[in-house]
Amino acid sequence: MTGGGSQGGHVIEPALSDLARHWVAAVRRTSYLDHGAETLRRRFEELTRRLAGAMRAERFDPRIGTAAGAAIVDLGLTSPEALRHSISVLARLPAVVDGKPADTDEDRFGALLGAFAAGFASASRQRILDDQERIRRAWSRALTDAEHNLQRELHHQAHHDPLTGLPNRVLLYRHLTDTLRDAPDDARIGVCFLDLDEFKTVNDTLGHGSGDRLLVAFADRLRACVNGADHFVARVGGDEFVVVAGGTRSAEDMTELAETMLAELSKPVRLDGHELTVSASIGIVEQPARGADPEELLRAADATLYLAKADGRARYAVFDATRNAEQLLQYGLTGRLAGALERGEFELVYQPLVSLVDGRLRGAEALLRWRHPELGTVSPNTFIPVAEQSGMIHALGRWVLRESCTAAAAWQRSHPDTPLLVSVNVSPRQCTDPRLLEDVEHALADSGLHPANLQLELTETVLMQSTGRPVQTLRKIADLGVRIVIDDFGIGYSNLAYLRHLPVHGLKLAGAFMAGIRSLASDHVDEQIVETVIRLAHTLQMTVTAEGVETADQADRLAALGCDLGQGWHFGRPTDPAGIPALR
């Protein structure tokens, strides 16, 4: 056998080589094969030679056919067409094979083709299973990756602000909790609570889109300022941000940081063709970290922020324990005030108003007292500002007005010849209430009190600042016959020229003047001031009442100066309504 090719050291017969070439040509049309022509030729010549060898062997081994069927699957020929074309080409194998026993040719060839087909089918099935397993594993990996990315994204979204990318309140609490828990005994911590001043104006004038872009710029500037290793910045609300600084040594570290932030944040920002300069206010808390509570730290910093705003904005304020205690008391009183009126915890006492001319009782001022079952007697100086801020002053003021008018009506009935005046304080917020006139009318009508026996006391500052509707309301009340008096006169604007154009019937001198009004030891300047005010008030046809009169000497001096009425402990302590007529 000469003239054939060689394969693995074997020389292949030309007829077998030609059969191998036809086999390659037949199956290459059925599948894409990632092999070069020379590689396929050598591989198929080897398979053809082995199959021919099986036909010629003394002992027939069908496993050679099985291996050949599996081999073409390994080459990538897995389609039914590849098997069909392979069998079609191999059908010519007996014709090119010689030197074999003739009686076994057909049996051997049939068994060889069967083994070839079985090997092909088994290898194809295994290849499919392997492919499925690879796909399953790839899908599992892809699913797992898609789940470690979704979870990561969800975790990020749950702990970060979507607008600025800063940590949100949830992550802030976690950071604070971990920091405080792991803090050494001597460690300190600082917290700054910031928000933009007048941010609502930006939203209202330029739109929320511009407002959002301003917040992003604000956040970027904060990141640039707060770059310490132990620093942490979070956005916790609309325009509210928190900076946590670890490893501080004193409050001075935080004030230096606050000054840096205020300077950076005050630089103009250009938005939509507008150059904006927006300031910020900062509340600072700096204290030992060990044992601190995250909630309390943030609450204290937030409360201190509003102290900074109250002091003028565009500034920082440092936590003060005394002011904080006052705020906590006020916060607590807000909740307790809610039902105090319905529970009957308020009462009115009355302090006499006495004529300094003849010493006769002319009426009394109604003074509100809160008898709390747990706190005891709460000072009006404490709870009135809380009622003002919460808006509860309206209901409380109506109650005071009704009760006072009812008490004065009873005095009027018991002393019809010389009816007594009741003086009722009206808070700043009540002055702006459009229902004030209606409240006065109802109180007078329900009690039967004559309007001339009701006097309303307003602070000088409120009256001076009132314009438009509040002044019109006061004029209508005065037209009813009710007296309007300015309380604590002399500590505010003190503009008598302006007062002549307001519906005012009298002045009450501030108690601060009384310390200088003493007989022989009187302060000459204080006396001159009081005398001047009295003379000008009388020129404007106003009466003058002095409050805080504690001695007979003061009463005598005030009478000598021309003061009309006096009020104070010298004339009597506050008493219940029944005690007032008894003073006559």
Side-chain angles (χ1 to χ4, degrees):
M1 295 181 289
T2 60
S6 65
Q7 179 71 25
H10 301 283
V11 177
I12 187 167
E13 303 159 35
L16 292 179
S17 179
D18 186 61
L19 182 65
R21 188 173 63 254
H22 281 86
W23 192 3
V24 172
V27 298
R28 287 190 72 174
R29 296 191 298 267
T30 66
S31 303
Y32 169 77
L33 298 175
D34 190 20
H35 302 282
E38 183 61 23
T39 300
L40 289 174
R41 183 189 67 77
R42 289 197 304 267
R43 189 73 179 112
F44 275 84
E45 283 184 351
E46 172 67 14
L47 292 175
T48 304
R49 186 186 64 78
R50 289 184 180 182
L51 290 170
M55 290 287 291
R56 292 170 175 156
E58 290 295 328
R59 290 188 65 179
F60 177 66
D61 186 358
R63 291 178 297 179
I64 293 176
T66 304
I72 68 168
V73 172
D74 290 341
L75 289 171
L77 296 164
T78 59
S79 68
E81 289 78 10
L83 176 61
R84 181 169 59 83
H85 285 298
S86 293
I87 291 176
S88 177
V89 173
L90 291 176
R92 288 181 267 169
L93 183 62
V96 297
V97 172
D98 54 5
K100 58 188 180 303
D103 59 347
T104 63
D105 283 356
E106 292 184 3
D107 291 342
R108 284 191 174 190
F109 182 64
L112 192 64
L113 285 183
F116 179 86
F120 178 91
S122 178
S124 294
R125 182 172 61 252
Q126 187 59 48
R127 188 182 182 96
I128 291 172
L129 292 174
D130 291 344
D131 287 344
Q132 289 177 340
E133 179 61 19
R134 283 194 296 271
I135 291 172
R136 186 194 66 78
R137 290 179 179 175
W139 178 84
S140 179
R141 286 194 300 270
L143 181 61
T144 301
D145 292 343
E147 285 177 344
H148 289 344
N149 291 334
L150 178 61
Q151 289 296 328
R152 188 161 49 245
E153 181 63 24
L154 289 176
H155 182 274
H156 185 273
Q157 291 180 7
H159 295 83
H160 290 79
D161 169 47
L163 178 65
T164 64
L166 289 175
N168 62 11
R169 186 181 292 270
V170 175
L171 195 54
L172 170 64
Y173 271 92
R174 180 177 297 177
H175 174 79
L176 270 176
T177 300
D178 293 345
T179 300
L180 296 174
R181 182 193 60 223
D182 301 332
D185 290 340
D186 59 346
R188 300 182 69 84
I189 191 169
V191 175
C192 287
F193 210 115
L194 309 86
D195 84 352
L196 292 173
D197 298 328
E198 303 296 344
F199 177 67
K200 184 177 182 298
T201 303
V202 176
N203 277 338
D204 292 345
T205 56
L206 300 182
H208 288 272
S210 294
D212 286 347
R213 289 189 287 278
L214 178 62
L215 290 173
V216 171
F218 188 89
D220 290 342
R221 291 186 179 187
L222 274 184
R223 286 190 187 96
C225 293
V226 184
N227 52 15
D230 295 329
H231 291 4
F232 184 91
V233 186
R235 182 189 179 201
V236 296
D239 62 334
E240 295 179 332
F241 297 80
V242 170
V243 174
V244 179
T248 57
R249 296 160 297 179
S250 66
E252 185 176 352
D253 289 346
M254 297 306 294
T255 59
E256 290 178 357
L257 176 60
E259 288 172 353
T260 300
M261 290 189 293
L262 289 176
E264 181 65 26
L265 297 173
S266 65
K267 295 178 181 177
V269 179
R270 190 158 190 84
L271 289 177
D272 303 329
H274 300 275
E275 191 171 79
L276 304 179
T277 301
V278 182
S279 63
S281 298
I282 305 177
I284 298 173
V285 174
E286 196 280 337
Q287 65 175 66
R290 198 70 171 175
D293 177 71
E295 184 74 31
E296 178 57 26
L297 268 177
L298 292 175
R299 189 211 63 77
D302 191 13
T304 307
L305 163 67
Y306 284 94
L307 294 181
K309 285 188 174 294
D311 289 341
R313 307 190 179 198
R315 66 191 64 208
Y316 63 81
V318 180
F319 174 80
D320 179 83
T322 301
R323 293 183 74 176
N324 183 61
E326 293 174 354
Q327 281 194 316
L328 285 176
L329 176 60
Q330 290 191 342
Y331 292 149
L333 289 180
T334 300
R336 288 169 167 158
L337 265 174
L341 191 58
E342 290 75 11
R343 292 191 297 268
E345 296 175 7
F346 288 102
E347 67 177 15
L348 288 175
V349 294
Y350 298 85
Q351 187 168 35
L353 288 168
V354 176
S355 170
L356 294 176
V357 177
D358 55 16
R360 298 183 63 181
L361 182 68
R362 288 291 183 260
E365 179 183 357
L367 302 175
L368 184 61
R369 296 290 183 263
W370 184 10
R371 313 292 186 189
H372 192 275
E374 297 171 3
L375 302 177
T377 301
V378 183
S379 168
N381 292 334
T382 300
F383 71 80
I384 290 296
V386 177
E388 278 270 306
Q389 187 174 14
S390 66
M392 295 178 61
I393 194 68
H394 297 299
L396 198 54
R398 292 188 193 98
W399 181 83
V400 170
L401 192 59
R402 289 195 306 268
E403 291 293 309
S404 301
C405 288
T406 299
W411 302 339
Q412 184 174 291
R413 289 191 295 271
S414 62
H415 297 81
D417 296 334
T418 54
L420 300 177
L421 180 77
V422 66
S423 192
V424 179
N425 289 283
V426 178
S427 76
R429 195 160 182 175
Q430 281 180 279
C431 288
T432 61
D433 188 348
R435 294 173 296 179
L436 179 60
L437 174 60
E438 182 181 342
D439 291 340
V440 171
E441 290 175 332
H442 286 170
L444 292 172
D446 294 344
S447 64
L449 180 67
H450 193 281
N453 292 335
L454 173 63
Q455 176 172 285
L456 300 184
E457 296 188 17
L458 294 79
T459 63
E460 179 182 358
T461 302
V462 169
L463 193 57
M464 288 299 193
Q465 291 177 338
S466 295
T467 57
R469 186 167 185 172
V471 171
Q472 294 175 9
T473 300
L474 290 177
R475 290 190 188 281
K476 291 178 180 179
I477 292 175
D479 290 342
L480 296 176
V482 176
R483 289 174 52 82
I484 307 293
V485 170
I486 295 182
D487 193 14
D488 285 330
F489 186 82
I491 61 173
Y493 290 90
S494 302
N495 189 337
L496 284 171
Y498 179 69
L499 288 180
R500 63 182 298 215
H501 301 293
L502 296 175
V504 176
H505 304 92
L507 308 176
K508 287 187 74 173
L509 295 176
F513 287 116
M514 295 306 103
I517 306 297
R518 308 180 189 278
S519 60
L520 297 177
S522 295
D523 184 284
H524 183 64
V525 174
D526 277 350
E527 280 200 9
Q528 282 191 323
I529 292 174
V530 170
E531 185 178 18
T532 300
V533 171
I534 292 172
R535 190 164 55 247
L536 288 173
H538 287 169
T539 300
L540 296 173
Q541 297 183 339
M542 298 180 187
T543 61
V544 179
T545 302
E547 58 183 352
V549 181
E550 298 181 357
T551 67
D553 288 340
Q554 286 178 319
D556 291 342
R557 288 303 305 158
L558 288 166
L561 293 173
C563 190
D564 302 292
L565 300 173
Q567 177 182 349
W569 286 2
H570 171 63
F571 302 108
R573 300 292 181 95
T575 183
D576 58 56
I580 291 299
L583 296 174
R584 291 178 62 87

